[in-house]
């Protein structure tokens, strides 16, 4: 599943291709995404000039002179830059044709991805308005997480993955940040000390920044806009390493299920 670093990598790939370009046509092969594309979708976007490509949580925001296209990659979606009119592969659902002769092509085998074109401010759209702060932004700091964890009995890993607390910290990065902060994923959020909360905030920021730097983690479903996979997987300490020796202390990495998701941790390094 594309996580925040993959989405940010996609954003960085799209920005120079799309900014300042006009979308001359929108070609839809399959309307049934997570939500069906409405009848007026193509007409609403065609002729718009792209003013920038932003991101909020795992949503790409393709900003135009007439509104914002909000794109979510879902479980298996990707955006690639192709020559306009080139042959479509299976699951290539939408082409945004640009006046440069290129097209941005949305592929999504499982069709959990989505596209919404909104004319007003994107921040108040129902998909975006309830989201917590960005993990790499200034609002997500030790003081903020301290306040949000007090009196909370929920396990810290599950709290970190709650988008109302902080967005974009998925399963891989929650596990990895807790390892780097030396905190057990099972601890009640409200029992963390101030020093631990501070370490955790720094670890979240560092693990996400490091993953963005190499283009993300997911090798199976996700490709960058230039088609190459992410390489962060080689730097993972615990995620999907159950039974393998901890890279720091050699203790076998353990696995358990929390909130229907697999959690990985080192019982020696993390307390
Ligand atoms: Zn260890």
């Amino acid at each position: 599943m594309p996580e925040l670093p993959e989405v940010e990598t996609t954003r960085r790939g799209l920005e120079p291709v799309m900014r300042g370009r006009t979308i001359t046509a929108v070609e839809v092969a399959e309307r049934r995404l997570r939500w069906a594309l409405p009848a007026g979708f193509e007409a609403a976007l065609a002729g718009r000039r792209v003013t920038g490509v932003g991101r909020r949580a795992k949503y790409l925001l393709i900003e135009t002179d007439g509104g914002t296209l909000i794109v979510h990659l879902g479980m298996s979606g990707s955006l690639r830059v192709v020559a306009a009119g080139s042959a479509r592969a299976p699951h290539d659902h939408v082409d945004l044709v640009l006046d440069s002769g290129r097209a941005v092509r949305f592929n999504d085998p499982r069709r959990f991805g989505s596209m919404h074109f909104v004319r007003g401010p994107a921040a108040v759209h129902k998909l975006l308005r309830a989201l917590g702060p960005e993990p790499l932004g200034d609002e997500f700091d030790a003081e903020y997480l301290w306040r949000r964890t007090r009196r909370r009995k929920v396990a810290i890993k599950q709290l970190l993955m709650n988008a109302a607390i902080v967005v974009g910290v998925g399963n891989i990065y929650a596990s990895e940040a807790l390892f780097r902060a030396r905190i057990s994923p099972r601890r009640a959020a409200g029992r963390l000390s101030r020093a631990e909360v501070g370490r955790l905030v720094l670890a979240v920021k560092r693990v996400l920044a490091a993953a963005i730097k190499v283009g993300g983690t997911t090798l199976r479903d996700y490709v960058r806009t230039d088609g190459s996979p992410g390489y962060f997987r080689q730097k993972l300490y615990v995620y999907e390493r159950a039974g393998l020796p901890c890279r720091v202390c050699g203790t076998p990495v353990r696995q358990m299920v929390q909130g229907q998701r697999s959690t990985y941790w080192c019982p020696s390094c993390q307390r």
Side-chain angles (χ1 to χ4, degrees):
M1 181 190 317
E3 297 224 34
L4 186 143
E6 287 82 8
V7 178
E8 177 61 21
T9 301
T10 300
R11 187 196 72 75
R12 292 178 184 188
L14 290 179
E15 167 88 10
V17 172
M18 298 193 81
R19 181 192 278 275
R21 291 294 171 188
T22 296
I23 299 170
T24 55
V26 178
E27 295 169 357
V28 177
E30 174 58 81
R31 310 194 82 78
R32 294 169 300 165
L33 306 182
R34 178 166 185 184
W35 294 286
L37 296 174
F41 179 76
E42 294 92 324
L45 259 172
R48 303 292 183 195
R49 197 174 63 84
V50 177
T51 55
V53 182
R55 179 186 59 74
R56 177 75 175 101
K58 296 205 296 185
Y59 294 94
L60 286 162
L61 306 176
I62 299 173
E63 291 143 10
T64 77
D65 54 7
T68 303
L69 179 63
I70 304 172
V71 181
H72 197 282
L73 300 176
M75 304 287 287
S76 58
S78 63
L79 289 165
R80 286 189 340 277
V81 178
V82 300
S86 61
R88 286 173 190 266
H91 314 298
D92 283 343
H93 303 313
V94 179
D95 276 10
L96 305 174
V97 182
L98 304 173
D99 62 353
S100 59
R102 298 207 270 184
V104 172
R105 180 166 285 175
F106 179 66
N107 177 288
D108 188 2
R110 298 180 65 182
R111 287 193 275 114
F112 282 107
S114 65
M115 290 190 177
H116 290 86
F117 185 67
V118 295
R119 288 192 166 78
V124 298
H125 189 269
K126 64 178 190 294
L127 291 172
L128 306 185
R129 67 184 168 217
L131 295 174
E134 288 287 324
L136 293 168
D138 293 339
E139 198 188 328
F140 181 66
D141 63 8
E143 181 55 38
Y144 169 83
L145 191 60
W146 175 256
R147 271 190 286 112
R148 297 302 301 265
T149 50
R150 290 312 89 189
R151 292 184 299 281
R152 296 295 305 271
K153 293 192 175 79
V154 65
I156 184 61
K157 174 163 180 268
Q158 283 168 279
L159 182 125
L160 266 188
M161 291 178 65
N162 178 351
I165 301 286
V166 58
V167 298
V169 185
N171 201 28
I172 298 172
Y173 301 106
S175 291
E176 290 296 309
L178 284 161
F179 177 83
R180 285 160 168 80
R182 307 191 304 278
I183 297 165
S184 166
R186 298 182 292 183
R187 294 268 300 281
R191 306 290 288 185
L192 265 58
S193 70
R194 213 170 242 282
E196 287 171 328
V197 167
R199 287 209 305 269
L200 184 54
V201 166
L202 268 180
V204 166
K205 290 177 185 288
R206 283 181 180 154
V207 73
L208 288 170
I212 288 167
K213 208 171 158 193
V214 295
T217 301
T218 316
L219 292 175
R220 277 187 293 267
D221 297 326
Y222 168 78
V223 286
R224 285 159 66 161
T225 46
D226 63 2
S228 62
Y231 289 99
F232 191 69
R233 181 165 292 269
Q234 295 160 10
K235 304 191 179 194
L236 298 177
Y237 281 97
V238 286
Y239 186 76
E240 287 189 346
R241 296 193 70 248
L244 296 172
C246 169
R247 294 193 203 276
V248 171
C249 74
T251 303
V253 170
R254 291 175 66 178
Q255 177 181 9
M256 67 173 166
V257 174
Q258 279 183 306
Q260 287 107 46
R261 306 297 299 275
S262 277
T263 292
Y264 302 86
W265 85 105
C266 171
S268 301
C269 292
Q270 294 173 258
R271 298 292 171 153

